[in-house]
């Protein structure tokens, strides 16, 4: 005869079992499909205080800083960019005046693809999903009246990141600001482009060379600058699970660590300036667990696999953006609630900076009103709720610790699979093999398909879409970008080319092509081309002459 459990947990389990006649109907899963226990506690997940640790100490589960938000609040960094550089510059001044702490630049599609606004492929896209930046003069106008030595700037761009970075540095020089004084972040993460967002210029190896050159340049000359923001956001937006987002992103980070080490750089020196960018999705506790697990994984791998001894190199610093994919065109006011919940998860998960999406972003770039509401959402969290009064207030919660361990274990399994793809035992080889075979894309597609099936079966719900839908909806006034923006931008570009020293610009582009065929650090000839008034598209086209282009493998 089995011995009956007379503990409180045992008594609860018997009552619960009696109350649920059909156990198969009682399964609840997270957004990622992980089955959640009906009750977490010492009966099924004892909490080990030593494993959790304390804030500011390895393994950093509870935060990378000893004082966390009691010492310094998270940075409010709203992503902004639209239309012309003059339009965006005005938005930046408004955001700074409203209490934003730093700037985050959204570029339009032609800029993201390394194309000038007057190229045929750019037609109809100029200024629509961000701001058009073709020249260093555009960069100067973008930050007119904004002291670049005092404001930190994040730039979300990858394939042409080094070119845009060079323009930013030259614009700072022309403001009289030494580049050593610049602080901010450049996304630069090319792996996630091959995995999820699909915006690249060349095959992977030339892109990795450029990133290595940037790592060397900033390590030597720009102590306050973060040259890489390794991005899981776009992986999650493409349909991945939380564990896929975390593992694929950390694997990219480990590959960049290997890149820096292959260049002879000191990990304790360059590792501290690697940062991350994650999605805060709508599954509240899963997201908190993801952030906490990410800190623990990064610290352990950096210390045990790569030999980092510096606390700074072992600490996972990350920016968070609320989930764009969770927003709906139907009943868009509901998006304010979604964004607030996601922002709260990011804060309770210990983010260093945060962007909150606007309610209308599913339809267009944010209107002034929607952008202000998004900003105020963060300020209400920071100034009214007191969620920052206690560090990691959910630490020790049986469910939160269970979720943290669950996401960590699932992410570790994916990391093992990436290593299995490797030819030489490095994460870099596994990442490249995963890109070449389409493995990453297939894994994400499968996860997205499973979630879509759950929606269609009614196992998951989207309020206003799959449940509580309404036939009639109020028309939402959205920001519309006039075609005049493209016409004016192309006219300025033509005037810019006409006013430059053409022979000098062409000479620097030829020198850049020649440098691409050597082992020279390409940041320097790119910066020379920018100073000679070469355009973004011209510089990227010059490098394509040497590096070629890339077509991804089909995935069925």
């Amino acid at each position: 005869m089995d011995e009956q459990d007379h503990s409180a947990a045992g008594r609860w389990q018997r009552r619960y079992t009696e109350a649920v006649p059909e156990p198969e109907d009682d399964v609840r899963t997270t957004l990622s499909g992980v089955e959640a226990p009906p009750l977490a506690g010492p009966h099924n997940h004892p909490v080990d205080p030593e494993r959790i640790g304390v804030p500011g100490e390895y393994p950093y589960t509870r935060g990378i800083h000893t004082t966390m938000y009691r010492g310094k609040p998270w940075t409010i960094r709203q992503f902004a960019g639209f239309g012309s550089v003059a339009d965006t510059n005005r938005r930046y001044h408004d955001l700074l005046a409203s209490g934003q702490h730093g700037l985050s630049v959204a570029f339009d599609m032609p800029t993201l693809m390394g194309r000038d606004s007057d190229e045929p492929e750019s037609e109809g896209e100029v200024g629509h999903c961000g701001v058009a930046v073709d020249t260093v003069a555009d960069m100067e106008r973008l930050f007119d009246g904004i002291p670049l030595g005092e404001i930190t700037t994040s730039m979300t761009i990858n394939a042409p990141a080094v070119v845009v970075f060079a323009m930013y540095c030259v614009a700072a020089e022309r403001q009289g600001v030494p580049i050593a004084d610049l602080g901010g972040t450049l996304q630069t993460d090319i792996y996630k482009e091959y995995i999820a967002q699909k915006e690249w210029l060349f095959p992977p190896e030339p892109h990795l060379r450029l990133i290595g050159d940037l790592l060397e340049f900033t390590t030597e000359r720009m102590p306050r600058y973060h040259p890489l923001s390794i991005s899981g956001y776009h992986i999650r937006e493409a349909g991945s699970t939380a564990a896929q987002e975390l593992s694929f992103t950390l694997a990219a980070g480990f590959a960049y660590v290997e890149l820096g080490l292959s260049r002879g750089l000191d990990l304790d020196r360059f590792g501290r300036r690697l940062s991350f960018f994650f999605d805060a999705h709508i599954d509240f506790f899963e997201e908190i667990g993801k952030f906490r697990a990410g800190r623990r994984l990064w610290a352990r791998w950096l210390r045990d696999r790569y030999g980092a001894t510096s606390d700074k190199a072992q600490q996972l610093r990350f920016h968070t953006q609320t989930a764009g994919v969770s927003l709906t065109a139907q009943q868009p006011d509901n998006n304010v609630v979604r964004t607030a919940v996601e922002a709260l998860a990011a804060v309770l998960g210990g983010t260093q900076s945060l962007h909150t999406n606007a309610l209308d972003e599913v339809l267009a770039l944010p209107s002034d009103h929607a952008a202000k509401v998004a900003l105020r959402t963060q300020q209400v969290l920071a100034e009214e709720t007191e969620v920052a009064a206690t560090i990691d207030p959910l630490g020790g919660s049986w469910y939160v610790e269970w979720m943290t361990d669950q996401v960590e274990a699932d992410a570790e399994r994916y990391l093992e699979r990436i290593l299995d793809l490797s030819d030489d035992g490095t994460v870099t080889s596994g990442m490249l093999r995963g890109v070449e075979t389409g493995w990453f894309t297939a894994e994400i597609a499968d996860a997205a398909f499973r979630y879509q099936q759950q929606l269609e079966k009614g196992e998951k719900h989207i309020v206003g879409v799959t449940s509580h839908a309404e036939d009639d909806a109020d028309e939402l006034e959205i920001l519309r970008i006039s075609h005049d923006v493209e016409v004016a931008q192309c006219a300025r570009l033509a005037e810019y080319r006409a006013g430059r020293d053409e022979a000098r610009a062409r000479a620097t582009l030829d020198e850049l092509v020649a440098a691409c065929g050597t082992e020279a650090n390409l940041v320097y000839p790119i910066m020379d081309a920018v100073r000679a008034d070469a355009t973004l598209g011209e510089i990227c086209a010059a490098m394509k002459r040497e590096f070629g282009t890339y077509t991804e493998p089909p995935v069925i």
Side-chain angles (χ1 to χ4, degrees):
M1 181 176 178
D2 293 335
E3 184 176 339
Q4 193 172 49
D5 183 355
H6 294 287
S7 68
R11 294 193 301 274
W12 168 83
Q13 184 64 64
R14 288 191 296 276
R15 292 197 305 272
Y16 186 84
T17 301
E18 293 168 359
V20 182
E22 303 293 338
E24 64 274 10
D25 296 332
D26 189 47
V27 175
R28 305 290 177 89
T29 63
T30 69
L31 190 67
S32 299
V34 177
E35 187 173 342
L39 181 71
H43 65 288
N44 60 3
H45 195 74
V47 173
D48 179 3
E50 293 299 318
R51 177 168 165 73
I52 300 171
V54 295
E57 289 185 12
Y58 182 91
Y60 307 106
T61 311
R62 307 198 68 184
I64 63 171
H65 300 304
T66 300
T67 58
M68 284 304 288
Y69 305 138
R70 288 179 70 99
K72 179 185 178 184
W74 67 90
T75 300
I76 298 175
R77 190 185 297 280
Q78 292 298 103
F79 191 45
F82 68 98
S84 70
V85 289
D87 294 332
T88 302
N89 177 262
R90 284 192 291 273
R91 175 69 63 84
Y92 288 164
H93 281 282
D94 288 345
L95 288 170
L96 291 172
S98 298
Q100 183 167 308
H101 303 153
L103 298 175
S104 186
V105 185
F107 296 97
D108 71 356
M109 186 57 69
T111 306
L112 293 172
M113 296 300 296
R115 298 189 180 279
D116 286 334
S117 295
D118 58 359
E119 294 186 39
E121 295 86 350
S122 302
E123 185 176 357
E125 295 291 342
V126 176
H128 279 271
C129 72
V131 63
V133 175
D134 296 315
T135 67
V136 67
D138 288 337
M139 190 68 78
E140 289 181 86
R141 284 193 289 267
L142 185 64
F143 293 104
D144 184 42
I146 298 171
L148 295 181
E150 301 173 18
I151 294 293
T152 59
T153 303
S154 172
M155 294 191 287
T156 303
I157 194 164
N158 297 284
V162 178
V163 183
V164 170
F165 165 80
M167 290 180 173
Y168 185 73
C169 290
V170 173
E173 288 177 351
R174 294 178 181 178
Q175 271 194 10
V177 178
I179 63 172
D181 293 345
L182 293 177
T185 305
L186 190 68
Q187 192 162 98
T188 321
D189 177 13
I190 203 62
Y191 280 118
K192 69 92 176 173
E193 294 298 340
Y194 296 110
I195 293 171
Q197 199 170 26
K198 312 302 182 183
E199 295 169 4
W200 56 73
L201 301 179
F202 325 117
E205 287 80 2
H207 275 299
L208 292 177
R209 174 191 171 173
L210 280 166
I211 293 170
D213 290 345
L214 181 69
L215 280 173
E216 287 184 356
F217 183 89
T218 53
T219 298
E220 293 168 2
R221 302 190 56 183
M222 301 178 71
R224 297 182 58 227
Y225 200 78
H226 294 77
L228 261 167
S229 177
I230 303 130
S231 177
Y233 186 84
H234 308 88
I235 294 171
R236 193 65 182 280
E237 293 286 288
S240 79
T241 65
Q244 287 173 341
E245 177 195 1
L246 185 60
S247 58
F248 296 173
T249 308
L250 292 182
F254 300 144
Y256 293 129
V257 165
E258 293 173 355
L259 176 63
L261 291 173
S262 74
R263 294 294 189 100
L265 299 177
D266 179 357
L267 176 55
D268 286 327
R269 190 176 173 200
F270 80 84
R272 67 181 56 201
R273 291 185 298 110
L274 300 178
S275 62
F276 289 81
F277 173 27
F278 289 114
D279 195 300
H281 218 305
I282 195 64
D283 193 316
F284 187 72
F285 290 106
E286 185 172 56
E287 295 305 288
I288 294 169
K290 179 186 73 180
F291 299 133
R292 300 172 89 248
R295 279 192 293 271
R296 202 152 67 196
L297 275 167
W298 180 255
R300 185 167 65 251
W301 278 58
L302 263 286
R303 186 191 69 174
D304 297 346
R305 183 179 178 90
Y306 297 109
T309 58
S310 161
D311 289 342
K312 292 290 187 183
Q314 296 172 16
Q315 292 169 349
L316 183 89
R317 288 167 295 280
F318 64 94
H319 168 73
T320 309
Q321 181 174 339
T322 56
V325 75
S326 72
L327 305 181
T328 63
Q330 301 92 328
Q331 301 178 26
D333 286 346
N334 297 344
N335 294 333
V336 178
V337 181
R338 294 184 178 105
T339 294
V341 169
E342 293 161 357
L344 181 58
V347 170
L348 293 177
T351 191
Q352 276 61 69
S353 67
L354 178 62
H355 165 87
T356 33
N357 287 329
L359 66 95
D360 56 358
E361 283 193 64
V362 70
L363 298 168
L365 292 168
S367 65
D368 287 339
H369 172 71
K372 184 67 67 67
V373 171
L375 174 62
R376 294 291 185 244
T377 299
Q378 289 205 53
Q379 291 167 333
V380 168
L381 286 178
E383 299 175 24
E384 294 185 26
T385 65
E386 299 299 339
V387 293
T390 296
I391 302 166
D392 188 32
L394 297 184
S397 155
W398 285 302
Y399 184 53
V400 168
E401 299 303 342
W402 177 88
M403 185 64 75
T404 301
D405 291 346
Q406 181 70 48
V407 176
E408 181 182 20
D410 289 346
E412 280 278 25
R413 282 190 283 272
Y414 270 109
L415 289 168
E416 289 172 5
R417 292 174 68 182
I418 292 169
L419 284 173
D420 288 342
L421 294 171
S422 174
D423 296 326
D424 59 9
T426 65
V427 177
T428 300
S429 175
M431 290 293 291
L432 291 174
R433 183 65 178 159
V435 167
E436 291 165 1
T437 60
W439 179 78
F440 289 108
T441 302
E443 288 293 311
I444 295 170
D446 287 346
F449 179 68
R450 287 193 295 271
Y451 177 62
Q452 183 62 34
Q453 285 183 309
Q454 289 180 307
L455 289 174
E456 292 175 2
K457 293 176 181 177
E459 297 169 359
K460 296 291 182 187
H461 301 282
I462 299 175
V463 173
V465 181
T466 66
S467 64
H468 310 290
E470 298 173 355
D471 292 333
D472 55 340
D474 294 332
E475 185 73 20
L476 190 66
E477 185 175 340
I478 62 174
L479 176 66
R480 300 185 186 277
I481 305 300
S482 168
H483 179 63
D484 293 343
V485 168
E486 182 173 329
V487 172
Q489 181 69 12
C490 291
R492 279 193 299 272
L493 188 53
E495 183 180 355
Y496 182 83
R497 288 198 185 100
R500 70 185 180 185
D501 183 335
E502 187 67 19
R504 181 186 172 212
R506 291 298 160 191
T508 58
L509 291 171
D510 290 341
E511 290 165 3
L512 173 58
V513 175
C516 289
T518 71
E519 295 183 357
N521 188 309
L522 296 181
V523 175
Y524 295 96
I526 290 173
M527 207 166 286
D528 287 342
V530 169
R531 293 190 183 104
D533 297 327
T535 68
L536 174 82
E538 291 168 345
I539 294 170
C540 292
M543 289 189 285
K544 284 180 183 177
R545 284 160 55 188
E546 177 66 27
F547 295 145
T549 57
Y550 177 76
T551 301
E552 70 174 335
V555 176
I556 300 176

